[in-house]
Amino acid sequence: MSLYSAYLEEIAARKTDGLHAKPIDDGALLSEIIDQIKDAGNVHRADSLQHLIYNTLPGTTSAAGVKAEFLKEIILGQIDVPEISTEFAFELLSHMKGGPSIRVLLDIALGDDADLAKQAAEVLKTQVFLYEADTDRIKAAYEAGSEIARDLLQSYADAEFFTKLPEIDEEIKIVTFIAAEGDISTDLLSPGNQAHSRSDRELHGKCMISEKAQQEIQALKIQHPDKQVMLIAEKGTMGVGSSRMSGVNNVALWTGKQASPYVPFVNIAPIVGGTNGISPIFKTTVDVTGGIGIDLKNWVKKMGEDGKPILNNDGNPILEQKYSVETGTVLKINTKAKKLYSEDGEELVDLSASFTAPKLEFIKAGGSYAIVFGKKLQTFGCETLGIPLKSAFAPSKEISIEGQGLTAVEKIFNANARGNTPGKTLHAGSDVRVKVNIVGSQDTTGLMTSQELEAMAATVISPSVDGAYQSGCHTASVWDVKAQANTPRLMAFMHKFGLITGRDPKGVYHPMTDVIHKSPWLWQPAKPPCRSLNRSK
């Protein structure tokens, strides 16, 4: 059976479960699909075009590599596909994030065809996920006298990849959905017992909260097509427990915006709120997707004449409602005034903490990763051209308390801080870049972790990192058949990526952290314990 025939069977099976075709990450399958596109009379040609254009994962997947090379052939006129013009091929490359797409764009930009080179360079000016292999090529071409390379470097030095992005909307209309009352654990958004499906975003999305809740969210979206649904923890905090990227992915899948029209089930920019705000670790994950986290403050403690909270019979403060966020309530966010308003324009709460300068950048760029990579790219452009850096980004947040000593963590932070004021001692609350030389990846979910790295076009750990480790303790706590299939695949991916892994893909050494809290003997050395050796004497 061909890979495509097997894929069709999988599509049919998923359809019975109400699922669409699974996005393609396998280069061998996509090669078959491309062969069918090249065959004008193939019965599967139309569907194959749809899969190539709209259903192939970007980044550094093997499928992305095959797709990028095929688009290169079209651009260079080596093959004619009437449905994909040169301009459309460049557009598709622009949505592929990095890795093979950047390599192809550089091949064309630094090639002999001047017209195509300019078109490729214009696309490259919009990209941020460039790594050393890419920037080294640009630098070498610049030093060899390439005008295209010089133009690229100037664009990077000016941070046009960020400054030319559309400004965020001044007003965002939202409609509320109360997901639960009280604190909302990320396990409600992405249950741990469904961890095996997190890399299949559409499938995993079906486990968020409940089927009833999903239907209600869909109904709100139909009823309010001009508004975005905000998920709320009423009288509680949103996202307690863990950062859980898969939880944010699920919220974005149901309430956010599609990141690219050519990448299915990858959504960004969810809006979440809580009476008591968003847990700090979850808020960071929301930032990764360019989302918005809101401290609603819609319930407050009822105060007595003595200025103290009035307590109920259980000794807990009595709460009184300042304003309602009942499911279906229409509200308005003003990102300039940094306020939340009722539908009628009444000011409800200040949102300054939700729209700090860095957070506004994350929203504009579609996520915090783009800002991190963008800062490095702008620095590269300026250093290569030998011009002063005029940062296009918000300045670092520096907190320095005169006369106060440093904790051990603050000492490490200060020793590795980058881009801060020279000689200034920083204390807790500061937000600056730091140099990292040891990386530990612990609470990760199998193939989803691989996907995150592939989506950033990452292929290998940076040579500036002294050591990196991938454990398997959390996901291995549910050691069922699915985990036994997924965890070794994660370990193999990370091992190839350059990390020391808790489970050796080739079985050379014994698992070090798998199911450590369930069965500690599983991570003991392969040799017998010392007491057995003693008895043998």
Side-chain angles (χ1 to χ4, degrees), residues 7 10-11 14-15 17-23 55 200 202-203 206 264-265:
Y7 186 53
E10 180 188 70
I11 291 173
R14 288 173 67 88
K15 191 174 182 179
D17 295 325
L19 299 170
H20 296 84
K22 194 173 182 179
N55 202 38
D200 186 343
E202 185 188 18
L203 173 60
K206 289 184 173 293
F265 313 119

Side-chain angles (χ1 to χ4, degrees), residues 194-313:
Q194 297 299 311
H196 64 87
S197 67
R198 286 175 179 158
S199 61
D200 186 343
R201 293 200 183 198
E202 185 188 18
L203 173 60
H204 192 65
K206 289 184 173 293
C207 72
M208 189 186 83
I209 309 177
S210 67
E211 186 176 354
K212 180 176 180 291
Q214 295 162 20
Q215 292 170 348
E216 292 175 356
I217 291 171
Q218 284 295 86
L220 285 172
K221 289 162 68 174
I222 294 170
Q223 186 180 353
H224 301 273
D226 62 332
K227 303 174 186 69
Q228 191 168 343
V229 176
M230 175 170 66
L231 216 64
I232 293 176
E234 175 76 318
K235 297 182 182 178
T237 301
M238 174 65 76
V240 301
S242 74
S243 58
R244 199 156 292 187
M245 188 72 217
S246 54
V248 174
N249 287 346
N250 275 352
V251 177
L253 184 66
W254 286 101
T255 68
K257 305 172 183 177
Q258 189 173 3
S260 166
Y262 309 113
V263 183
F265 313 119
V266 177
N267 285 16
I268 59 172
I271 301 176
V272 293
T275 295
N276 302 326
I278 316 299
S279 75
I281 192 169
F282 191 67
K283 188 181 295 183
T284 299
T285 318
V286 172
D287 289 343
V288 167
T289 65
I292 301 171
I294 295 177
D295 186 353
L296 292 167
K297 299 186 178 75
N298 59 312
W299 288 87
V300 296
K301 295 176 183 178
K302 190 172 183 178
M303 309 301 287
E305 293 181 358
D306 59 358
K308 296 180 180 180
I310 299 176
L311 307 181
N312 60 21
N313 293 335

Side-chain angles (χ1 to χ4, degrees), residues 393-410:
F393 304 98
S396 300
K397 180 182 178 182
E398 299 182 351
I399 295 177
S400 183
I401 304 172
E402 188 175 352
Q404 180 171 308
L406 298 173
T407 65
V409 171
E410 287 172 335

